[in-house]
Amino acid sequence: MDRNIIIDRIPYQFCEGPFWGNGNMGAVLYIRDEKLCISLDHVKLWELRETLPDEPKAVFQQILQHKTEYLKGNPEYVEDTNIFEEHIGRTKLPALAVEIGIPGKVTGFCARTNPKHAQSVISLELDHKRTMEGRIWLDSCVNILYMEWSSDIQGEEKGLEIHALGWDLESPRLKPLKNWNYEPCIQIEKGDTFTVKQHFGKDMSAVLCGRQKQLQQGIALAVGINAGNLEEESCMSAAGESLAEDYLARTECYLKSHEKDWNAYWSGFGIEVPSERLQEAFEQEMYKLYCNEREDASPITLQGVWNPDNRMPAWFGDLHNDLNVQSCYWPAYKTGNVKLVRPYIDYYAKAMPRLEERAWKLFGIKNAIHVPTMMAPDGTGAASEWCYWNTILGPELFVAVDFTWFYEYSREQDTLRDKIYPFIEKVIHLYQSIAYEKEDEYLHIPFTQSPEVDRDGHMLMADDSTFTLSCLHYLCRKMEGYSKVLGRDGSKFLEWEHRLAPVVPTGKGFSLFDGIEVFGSHRHFCQMYPIYPLCQESHNEVANRSLDTAVNQGFLEYAAFSFPYMGIMAARCGRGNMCRTMLEIYCMVFRSRNSFTVNGDPYQNGVLRISDTNAGESSDAFTLESGFFIPAALCEMFVHRAESGIWLMMGMPDEWKECSCRGLTVEGGHRISLERRNYHMRRAVIHTAEEETLILHWKEENHLKCIMRNGEEIVTYGNGTCSIYVRPEEEWVLEFL
């Protein structure tokens, strides 16, 4: 994989420059005031104070009695605060920065980042035909950003002015920090070292330490950042200075470890497709994934490890508990990197006491879990604890489904016992306690959502959304199976599920709510949740009808992730051409110059209607989740699973003559490699992880030649399908004519 991420225009905005990350620290380079500005973010940079009372304005039963008032924002029933204007509480905080004064005005720029090695080469053209060259990487194993800079200006490279910066509290875009009485940073420059100490929150400190070293042809710079309690500030400062000094002294040794770590990541999976745009997008997004997530890091927030230094993070930079967070992990599962999801499971499991407290305060229910839509890492609500978005039902279902995915791909029984099972059990208990029986003798769930469908000026809320019911049926069935794994009696889950109102498709497929069909264009398609990510429906009439109904509404209210999400649905319906088109539209329309996701249609491509609800924020606002749909969708095109069925290359576009994948993973942990030549599948290799019966499906024009298990030919028959019984650590090979 030698394709570079190329940025060949001057990055005057944060979301236009080259970027690096290691799960705990992130950096972006851009040009500001004719200086090189490098933002340095850290995952612990959070304001975690709540500035409003920690009590909801109304409990759930009161909200049910005053639904209209609640939806209109009546302050008697929901927190009356414009959270996006006031910045009243918990939020991700901006990054710190290093500025490098350069000898001239930048007239040309080119950054080439090799995602395999996570290293960049940068060329700057300056006025008067002068140049500068740089080499940059952010170490994969320690919190150091390393830079080398040289120029063709004799002697001037030694005069580069390097300054570390805290937050500009006079900036209008950082007004909340001033309102919270944050102090100006402490800047210390001594010889070749520099330090910035920025206090924040309640007794917290971020410490940025750097050191420079003169080279024969230029200068080297090592910069790190950490955050912790104020009492740890001196230790963080000493450790940061020591690490920077050691890094400059033993750069090549550190570099070898960095390259080894990235090589190990890339060695486990890969795809090759004939679309250059999609191939590059796959590699860019998988590069971003490992920049953001490590087994011992933190969950991925909206902007991940790349929050700007000169503005408050868009949408609070929070853990947004719907598809915005959930989809960040799909490519990790699909490429065999389930271990990268561990921080997500660990953080939410650790936050259970606060999530249970929320359920008690809002619903009056013990031993239950309610998750806010916008969440800080400790389980508290971002922005305001009890604003509208943090008092609705649904986010805990997104998280619970995520938890099942972790077990389905990892099969870790200890994680199932200690974290997954108790979390899901408490989520189900919340809904068991608010369900009510109607004349049909079924249990129904009140005041649910189908994100994010609007009607009459606010989000549509009604009983029994397909999203809610399908999640609960799915979770109950999973928990009955998990109970068996753990040697417990899970019959109570099936007994309650049998009483729960069923999801009944109509002539248009899955409806939004019981009795409310899809009536307009929207963004999330959560009425199709049974198709994905529940992965229960695939290649059948219901799935196809549901897809047609959504498509027939047009693209008017779509946002960035709508297109690749629709692409995933298309792949699971065997519509490869549609999937490819949806992914191509996303890549062409909704990516900033450095491939971060922009919302709405800022470049006026004309693919959707511009409105307040889909136009996003200003041009420097971005998110990550939509980009992560791309590798997930491409994996689905190659292989996907529903129940015991595995579909091989059933989402391929007609025009793709040759393509291949290696190491893609399906539920059960089975890893699959596929090869297509001359428009036909030639070979499938399955490395098994569980004992079970699998039903394999492929297009009938691919004629099976033979099947081998561990090198021994197996007698079997099948025209487009066959059944195999597998045990762990076997290799199954299907050869096609």
Side-chain angles (χ1 to χ4, degrees):
M1 185 184 68
D2 297 320
R3 302 172 187 86
N4 289 325
I5 303 173
I6 299 176
I7 299 172
D8 58 3
R9 288 184 283 186
I10 301 174
Y12 287 118
Q13 290 195 110
F14 179 84
C15 60
E16 297 177 339
F19 51 89
W20 310 269
N22 67 3
N24 289 297
M25 172 182 171
V28 179
L29 182 148
Y30 64 109
I31 308 296
R32 182 171 67 193
D33 299 328
E34 297 304 332
K35 298 177 182 178
L36 292 177
C37 182
I38 302 101
S39 73
L40 293 168
D41 191 20
H42 193 278
V43 294
K44 292 183 180 179
L45 278 169
W46 276 90
E47 167 57 86
L48 293 177
R49 292 178 298 182
E50 171 66 272
T51 58
L52 294 173
D54 187 16
E55 295 292 336
K57 286 298 185 76
V59 298
F60 188 66
Q61 290 302 321
Q62 292 172 317
I63 291 172
L64 290 181
Q65 296 169 13
H66 301 274
K67 297 176 182 177
T68 301
E69 293 90 338
Y70 168 81
L71 290 172
K72 289 183 177 180
N74 188 313
E76 291 187 27
Y77 303 103
V78 66
E79 192 63 64
D80 181 27
T81 304
N82 189 333
I83 56 175
F84 292 100
E85 293 294 335
E86 299 299 329
H87 294 281
I88 59 173
R90 304 181 186 97
T91 179
K92 188 74 174 68
L93 292 169
L96 305 185
V98 171
E99 273 192 352
I100 303 178
I102 51 182
K105 181 179 180 180
V106 178
T107 59
F109 183 95
C110 184
R112 299 176 182 273
T113 300
N114 184 321
K116 181 177 181 180
H117 303 299
Q119 299 174 48
S120 302
V121 175
I122 298 178
S123 299
L124 299 179
E125 295 178 8
L126 308 178
D127 52 3
H128 306 298
K129 298 183 179 180
R130 297 176 296 178
T131 62
M132 282 184 61
E133 300 289 333
R135 185 167 72 117
I136 303 180
W137 67 84
L138 199 161
D139 196 283
S140 192
C141 306
V142 296
N143 279 357
I144 285 290
L145 177 73
Y146 178 83
M147 293 177 277
E148 292 178 3
W149 292 101
S150 62
S151 78
D152 61 0
I153 311 168
Q154 294 298 321
E156 288 201 34
E157 66 274 2
K158 296 182 180 180
L160 294 179
E161 294 185 4
I162 301 172
H163 299 289
L165 307 174
W167 296 317
D168 179 5
L169 301 181
E170 299 305 316
S171 169
R173 305 191 85 190
L174 297 178
K175 182 180 177 182
L177 306 183
K178 188 173 183 179
N179 292 345
W180 293 332
N181 298 314
Y182 277 19
E183 303 171 357
C185 70
I186 302 170
Q187 293 176 290
I188 304 171
E189 296 184 10
K190 184 178 180 181
D192 291 334
T193 65
F194 53 86
T195 302
V196 163
K197 301 176 182 180
Q198 179 70 68
H199 298 163
F200 66 94
K202 185 178 180 181
D203 300 326
M204 298 293 290
S205 176
V207 179
L208 184 156
C209 295
R211 187 178 183 91
Q212 56 181 308
K213 172 184 175 182
Q214 295 298 322
L215 303 176
Q216 185 176 359
Q217 298 296 327
I219 191 171
L221 183 66
V223 187
I225 185 173
N226 210 334
N229 294 326
L230 194 58
E231 61 188 25
E232 302 172 314
E233 186 176 76
S234 296
C235 293
M236 288 190 293
S237 180
E241 291 177 9
S242 177
L243 178 59
E245 181 179 9
D246 191 58
Y247 208 97
L248 291 175
R250 300 191 303 121
T251 302
E252 292 304 317
C253 180
Y254 280 104
L255 179 57
K256 287 181 181 179
S257 298
H258 166 84
E259 291 179 337
K260 181 179 179 181
D261 192 59
W262 274 94
N263 286 336
Y265 169 67
W266 286 111
S267 66
F269 64 91
I271 70 165
E272 291 291 335
V273 297
S275 166
E276 183 177 355
R277 179 179 284 116
L278 296 184
Q279 182 70 43
E280 289 181 349
F282 177 85
E283 293 167 6
Q284 289 169 351
E285 298 303 328
M286 295 307 295
Y287 167 70
K288 289 178 192 171
L289 180 69
Y290 202 52
C291 282
N292 272 277
E293 201 56 272
R294 305 299 169 91
E295 193 168 3
D296 59 349
S298 301
I300 302 177
T301 54
L302 285 178
Q303 288 86 42
V305 294
W306 296 309
N307 289 275
D309 62 291
N310 60 352
R311 61 160 291 167
M312 298 299 293
W315 304 285
F316 308 105
D318 58 20
L319 292 161
H320 220 72
N321 291 306
D322 53 21
L323 293 179
N324 295 101
V325 164
Q326 186 176 60
S327 58
C328 290
Y329 299 99
W330 292 344
Y333 291 116
K334 297 296 182 182
T335 58
N337 288 291
V338 63
K339 65 180 182 180
L340 299 182
V341 190
R342 192 177 309 282
Y344 178 64
I345 304 299
D346 289 348
Y347 267 67
Y348 282 68
K350 186 178 180 180
M352 283 176 59
R354 176 59 191 180
L355 303 179
E356 291 185 63
E357 184 181 359
R358 289 184 55 82
W360 170 247
K361 287 186 174 183
L362 185 59
F363 296 90
I365 302 170
K366 294 283 190 180
N367 298 315
I369 278 177
H370 178 256
V371 175
T373 302
M374 306 180 298
M375 197 178 90
D378 60 357
T380 55
S384 169
E385 188 72 66
W386 302 107
C387 66
Y388 166 78
W389 291 102
N390 289 343
T391 54
I392 59 178
L393 281 168
E396 57 284 333
L397 295 175
F398 284 103
V399 179
V401 171
D402 293 349
F403 271 44
T404 69
W405 270 52
F406 189 86
Y407 179 72
E408 295 304 316
Y409 281 82
S410 72
R411 292 298 198 253
E412 292 182 5
Q413 290 193 21
D414 56 343
T415 305
L416 175 67
R417 180 191 64 243
D418 299 336
K419 298 174 183 177
I420 296 173
Y421 192 97
F423 190 99
I424 298 175
E425 184 175 39
K426 293 176 189 297
V427 169
I428 292 175
H429 183 59
L430 174 70
Y431 287 84
Q432 289 174 327
S433 301
I434 64 173
Y436 69 100
E437 187 173 316
K438 287 186 178 181
E439 295 79 5
D440 58 8
E441 298 184 348
Y442 280 119
L443 294 174
H444 299 263
I445 309 299
F447 212 42
T448 61
Q449 59 164 324
S450 186
E452 294 176 357
V453 180
D454 295 332
R455 191 165 71 179
D456 300 329
H458 52 71
M459 196 162 79
L460 178 59
M461 309 280 273
D463 292 358
D464 296 338
S465 70
T466 294
F467 160 69
T468 301
L469 292 181
S470 63
C471 282
L472 289 171
H473 282 288
Y474 169 89
L475 291 171
C476 285
R477 291 194 294 269
K478 287 295 183 185
M479 287 294 280
E480 191 273 338
Y482 296 164
S483 297
K484 291 180 180 178
V485 172
L486 298 175
R488 303 175 185 179
D489 180 9
S491 59
K492 61 181 180 180
F493 296 108
L494 290 186
E495 290 171 1
W496 188 77
E497 190 220 354
H498 291 156
R499 297 184 60 203
L500 183 64
V503 175
V504 181
T506 69
K508 293 183 178 181
F510 291 114
S511 57
L512 296 171
F513 301 82
D514 181 25
I516 304 177
E517 298 277 15
V518 176
F519 57 83
S521 172
H522 64 293
R523 294 168 287 194
H524 281 251
F525 316 125
C526 282
Q527 77 277 10
M528 295 194 284
Y529 218 69
I531 304 174
Y532 204 86
L534 300 186
C535 300
Q536 295 182 303
E537 305 288 344
S538 187
H539 301 277
N540 60 27
E541 185 180 355
V542 172
N544 276 283
R545 288 203 311 265
S546 302
L547 185 60
D548 288 340
T549 297
V551 172
N552 288 342
Q553 308 304 319
F555 298 163
L556 295 180
E557 295 295 337
Y558 282 17
F561 63 75
S562 305
F563 288 91
Y565 192 27
M566 185 67 80
I568 291 176
M569 303 294 185
R572 294 188 70 86
C573 290
R575 301 187 190 183
N577 296 337
M578 178 181 174
C579 180
R580 181 236 20 239
T581 301
M582 294 294 106
L583 300 186
E584 292 269 6
I585 289 175
Y586 167 76
C587 289
M588 289 188 292
V589 176
F590 299 103
R591 307 180 100 201
S592 62
R593 290 179 182 174
N594 67 359
S595 79
F596 289 163
T597 296
V598 293
N599 219 354
D601 187 9
Y603 304 127
Q604 297 182 338
N605 288 278
V607 299
L608 46 77
R609 181 173 67 86
I610 300 300
S611 69
D612 291 339
T613 58
N614 70 15
E617 278 203 359
S618 56
S619 60
D620 63 348
F622 67 93
T623 57
L624 297 179
E625 80 291 325
S626 304
F628 288 137
F629 277 71
I630 295 291
L634 288 166
C635 291
E636 292 287 331
M637 294 170 82
F638 278 101
V639 58
H640 50 260
R641 180 172 182 173
E643 303 297 342
S644 61
I646 295 179
W647 278 262
L648 306 175
M649 283 199 170
M650 294 287 272
M652 290 292 109
D654 294 335
E655 67 179 23
W656 285 8
K657 184 176 182 179
E658 297 186 355
C659 57
S660 63
C661 69
R662 60 178 177 84
L664 302 191
T665 309
V666 297
E667 295 87 330
H670 310 297
R671 306 198 68 164
I672 299 175
S673 301
L674 302 168
E675 182 180 355
R676 172 176 165 128
R677 295 288 178 264
N678 199 27
Y679 303 109
H680 288 80
M681 184 163 62
R682 294 303 186 206
R683 199 166 192 259
V685 180
I686 306 172
H687 290 99
T688 59
E690 282 287 295
E691 182 176 355
E692 60 179 326
T693 297
L694 300 175
I695 301 173
L696 307 180
H697 302 269
W698 60 86
K699 292 183 178 180
E700 292 187 359
E701 63 262 28
N702 299 303
H703 300 293
L704 184 64
K705 178 181 178 182
C706 67
I707 296 181
M708 292 179 287
R709 181 184 63 194
N710 296 331
E712 179 182 351
E713 188 166 347
I714 302 297
V715 178
T716 187
Y717 302 93
N719 183 23
T721 186
C722 74
S723 177
I724 60 175
Y725 179 73
V726 303
R727 296 180 177 84
E729 299 184 2
E730 292 181 335
E731 180 185 75
W732 288 75
V733 179
L734 283 70
E735 299 280 359
F736 295 86
L737 296 174

